[in-house]
Amino acid sequence: MSNTELIAEITKVLPQIGAAPESRITRMTPVSGGCISTAHIVETSDQKYFVKSHTADSFMTKQMCKSIFEAELHGLNALRHTHTIRVPQPLHVGDLSSGAFLILEYIPLTRLRDHRKLGHLLANLHLFEGPSQFGFDSNNYIGSTMQPNGWHDTWVHLLQERLQYQFDRAQFTGHMENMADKLIRRLTQFFKGLDIRPSLVHGDLWAGNCAADSSGEPVVFDPAVYWGHHEAELSIMRMFGGFTLDFYDAYHERIPRAPGFELRAQIYELYHTVNHYNMFGSGYLDQCQRLLERILQ
């Protein structure tokens, strides 16, 4: 894919996304930071846009490129519908000759400083009333890994499906395989006595997927959205750090910790760790083993 093709395809859809009829692209500036897609700030005579693109390769087909962006668009729209926390407005998903692109609202971002505000807003998101089942309207992606989102009456059933999918991809053997099978069989016991209501979660909220706008308001992006257990949101936030105690204090003011929180947090961390093993290789295997052993001890 060339920048020339990307510019031409964006230019074709400018009228569809609300640009003035005479709008033309005047500048396209690369942006670093993404590990899957290429990103640019695209400027026209009257507007700026944030554009992500991806070219098919040996790991990702052209259809998968488009599917990932369509899932992101769908997830951002679901978050926007709650009116609880700011996300960039998704504007268009389009085809390239060997890939796809996604056009988003451009929001000038700065480092998040008001972690307490983020805690309150995220709790508001998780308290938003939604469906009575767990899942989402379509499957989406956690990184480059497909994330199953079939509708289930209980959270444990969706979590079992998700963990089994990751374990199957990992192709664990021996002790690791035995522990993974045992966790699937015993999963229900970790949720006894809990009344879990479906919460809309961002799904991939590490520190690199949140920032602040020019007024200091928290902004989140790059979601892997589903209706699930609100506690699952906090696992990846704790895995990679970057969130202050003010965030957690504010969040738990509105959604207190339930008994067994710390043990369940390790199960949710395991999901992301096995996914990292599946995406990035054996460097995460020891961490997967330690988590499984701690959970099952």
Side-chain angles (χ1 to χ4, degrees):
M1 178 203 70
S2 67
N3 284 349
T4 301
E5 181 191 10
L6 182 59
I7 290 171
E9 293 302 319
I10 296 170
T11 300
K12 288 179 186 177
V13 302
L14 285 177
Q16 300 174 32
I17 60 175
E22 67 278 5
S23 286
R24 295 292 182 271
I25 293 174
T26 58
R27 181 181 300 177
M28 191 165 76
T29 307
V31 180
S32 62
C35 62
I36 296 176
S37 302
T38 301
H40 293 85
I41 297 172
V42 174
E43 300 180 47
T44 70
S45 49
D46 63 344
Q47 186 64 273
K48 289 184 180 180
Y49 302 96
F50 189 79
V51 178
K52 300 167 70 171
S53 58
H54 194 85
T55 302
D57 53 31
S58 57
F59 300 101
M60 192 178 299
T61 65
K62 176 182 174 179
Q63 181 53 45
M64 186 176 172
C65 294
K66 188 172 185 180
S67 179
I68 285 176
F69 288 146
E70 288 174 336
E72 182 173 347
L73 181 147
H74 193 21
L76 287 169
N77 277 332
L79 292 170
R80 278 172 55 82
H81 176 71
T82 69
H83 301 288
T84 56
I85 191 166
R86 188 174 185 189
V87 301
Q89 180 182 0
L91 300 170
H92 182 80
V93 173
D95 288 298
L96 298 168
S97 59
S98 58
F101 66 97
L102 168 65
I103 305 177
L104 301 165
E105 170 193 10
Y106 171 68
I107 303 175
L109 297 175
T110 62
R111 185 166 68 89
L112 176 68
R113 298 183 184 277
D114 194 345
H115 285 238
R116 185 169 181 80
K117 180 69 172 292
L118 176 64
H120 282 151
L121 293 178
L122 193 64
N124 291 345
L125 171 65
H126 293 167
L127 292 170
F128 182 81
E129 291 289 337
S132 59
Q133 290 184 302
F134 299 86
F136 200 55
D137 294 336
S138 57
N139 296 332
N140 51 26
Y141 294 84
I142 183 75
S144 59
T145 306
M146 195 274 287
Q147 180 167 256
N149 282 327
W151 290 106
H152 292 269
D153 290 330
T154 72
W155 165 242
V156 172
H157 287 153
L158 176 58
L159 183 58
Q160 283 175 322
E161 180 183 28
R162 291 231 180 126
L163 284 169
Q164 190 66 64
Y165 181 79
Q166 293 286 358
F167 293 155
D168 289 346
R169 285 176 59 85
Q171 297 184 317
F172 292 144
T173 59
H175 181 51
M176 288 290 288
E177 182 181 18
N178 291 336
M179 287 193 296
D181 289 345
K182 185 181 290 186
L183 177 59
I184 295 295
R185 292 194 307 269
R186 292 174 51 186
L187 196 60
T188 302
Q189 76 181 54
F190 299 102
F191 296 87
K192 284 183 178 177
L194 287 184
D195 180 19
I196 301 176
R197 180 189 62 81
S199 293
L200 187 65
V201 298
H202 175 285
D204 194 14
L205 193 55
W206 64 291
N209 284 347
C210 67
D213 64 17
S214 56
S215 69
E217 187 75 8
V219 182
V220 300
F221 37 88
D222 288 350
V225 166
Y226 59 94
W227 292 93
H229 188 197
H230 65 270
E231 290 180 359
E233 188 88 277
L234 305 183
S235 60
I236 195 166
M237 301 177 81
R238 292 174 16 143
M239 269 179 76
F240 297 109
F243 299 93
T244 68
L245 289 176
D246 283 345
F247 163 79
Y248 294 102
D249 288 344
Y251 181 87
H252 289 302
E253 283 173 6
R254 300 193 177 178
I255 305 179
R257 292 187 180 200
F261 173 90
E262 291 296 338
L263 185 53
R264 290 188 298 277
Q266 294 181 74
I267 296 172
Y268 297 139
E269 182 178 340
L270 175 68
Y271 174 73
H272 290 290
T273 305
V274 178
N275 183 51
H276 275 67
Y277 170 73
N278 286 329
M279 289 196 300
F280 304 119
S282 59
Y284 287 90
L285 184 59
D286 286 347
Q287 192 175 346
C288 293
Q289 180 172 337
R290 288 194 299 271
L291 280 167
L292 277 165
E293 288 172 343
R294 286 204 301 267
I295 293 164
L296 294 170
Q297 69 183 8

